[in-house]
Amino acid sequence: GQNIDQPTEMTATEGAIVQINCTYQTSGFNGLFWYQQHAGEAPTFLSYNVLDGLEEKGRFSSFLSRSKGYSYLLLKELQMKDSASYLCAVRRPSGAGSYQLTFGKGTKLSVIP
Amino acid sequence: DADVTQTPRNRITKTGKRIMLECSQTKGHDRMYWYRQDPGLGLRLIYYSFDVKDINKGEISDGYSVSRQAQAKFSLSLESAIPNQTALYFCATSDKRGGRYNEQFFGPGTRLTVL
């Protein structure tokens, strides 16, 4: 089976830094995505890692260690609008050269003043 | 703007009714997906299609069927709705030609309630 774990909820203070962890055990791996989802809205793409290391994109960074089955999303200079759920998703082979995403249950981040 | 749209956005129905949720996209993507999202369970893949003649089951396809009428349209049907199909349903698209990330783009969602 596929297993992707991330904390259910986190709270952080405006202006601070927060790290959201994701561990995975999947049959096959072809990259890891982070999506942001505001309540009642569609998920939107944040970042992608396929090789080990850190990818930086403005206030957001994502790290991957394939040997440890581990990723994290780092959010700096938190703003109130960053209050949302953050979804970790692993892309894995689904046969015939195609891929599908398997999502974790998401981490609900609350940013407080 | 190229987009992914879903109709209806909200639907309340009764147990046993047949329901169709529709998804259209103007992104020119060949790949389309249906997910459901439940509190505490995350997004789960129902069906996906990589072109008009291709339909594949996801992890929770029982009780659902799909139709890919054209490259731009992918419909999800509940033949006989039951209360545990109450959920938020998302359609998504991606492009096999990729680009750097080959990420999926999600529609706005359909909130379905089965009484």
Side-chain angles (χ1 to χ4, degrees), chain B residues 20-88:
Chain B
M20 180 180 286
L21 309 183
E22 301 196 11
C23 177
S24 294
Q25 52 110 350
T26 56
K27 289 186 169 295
H29 289 172
D30 51 331
R31 299 178 175 187
M32 299 186 73
Y33 312 80
W34 275 105
Y35 292 89
R36 66 177 279 176
Q37 187 173 41
D38 300 272
L41 292 179
L43 278 162
R44 292 181 292 166
L45 184 63
I46 306 172
Y47 271 97
Y48 59 104
S49 169
F50 287 162
D51 66 40
V52 174
K53 298 177 183 177
D54 178 75
I55 300 290
N56 303 282
K57 292 183 177 180
E59 61 181 293
I60 53 161
S61 59
D62 286 350
Y64 302 94
S65 62
V66 291
S67 173
R68 185 82 183 266
Q69 303 96 318
Q71 188 191 38
K73 296 185 183 295
F74 192 35
S75 300
L76 177 71
S77 293
L78 288 69
E79 296 301 325
S80 179
I82 56 177
N84 77 359
Q85 291 178 313
T86 293
L88 184 56

Side-chain angles (χ1 to χ4, degrees), chain A:
Chain A
Q2 321 302 324
N3 197 37
I4 301 176
D5 287 322
Q6 44 182 138
T8 303
E9 294 186 34
M10 299 181 72
T11 301
T13 305
E14 192 177 14
I17 299 172
V18 70
Q19 178 174 312
I20 302 174
N21 296 324
C22 172
T23 58
Y24 62 90
Q25 290 177 306
T26 58
S27 55
F29 178 87
N30 188 257
L32 188 143
F33 291 83
W34 285 95
Y35 280 81
Q36 181 189 58
Q37 185 180 24
H38 286 100
E41 297 183 8
T44 55
F45 168 74
L46 278 181
S47 71
Y48 172 70
N49 296 71
V50 66
L51 300 176
D52 290 352
L54 190 68
E55 292 280 343
E56 296 186 84
K57 220 175 174 186
R59 294 189 299 114
F60 295 78
S61 303
S62 56
F63 172 83
L64 175 67
S65 169
R66 289 171 295 169
S67 62
K68 294 182 179 178
Y70 169 68
S71 173
Y72 67 73
L73 179 69
L74 194 71
L75 292 76
K76 303 175 188 175
E77 301 170 11
L78 279 172
Q79 302 175 8
M80 299 301 291
K81 67 179 182 180
D82 297 330
S83 292
S85 289
Y86 292 85
L87 314 180
C88 172
V90 170
R91 182 163 65 194
R92 57 187 186 87
S94 58
S98 62
Y99 299 91
Q100 62 178 282
L101 288 183
T102 299
F103 284 82
K105 296 177 182 178
T107 299
K108 184 179 179 182
L109 175 66
S110 298
V111 180
I112 57 175

Side-chain angles (χ1 to χ4, degrees), chain B residues 84-95:
Chain B
N84 77 359
Q85 291 178 313
T86 293
L88 184 56
Y89 289 84
F90 286 103
C91 174
T93 73
S94 67
D95 187 351

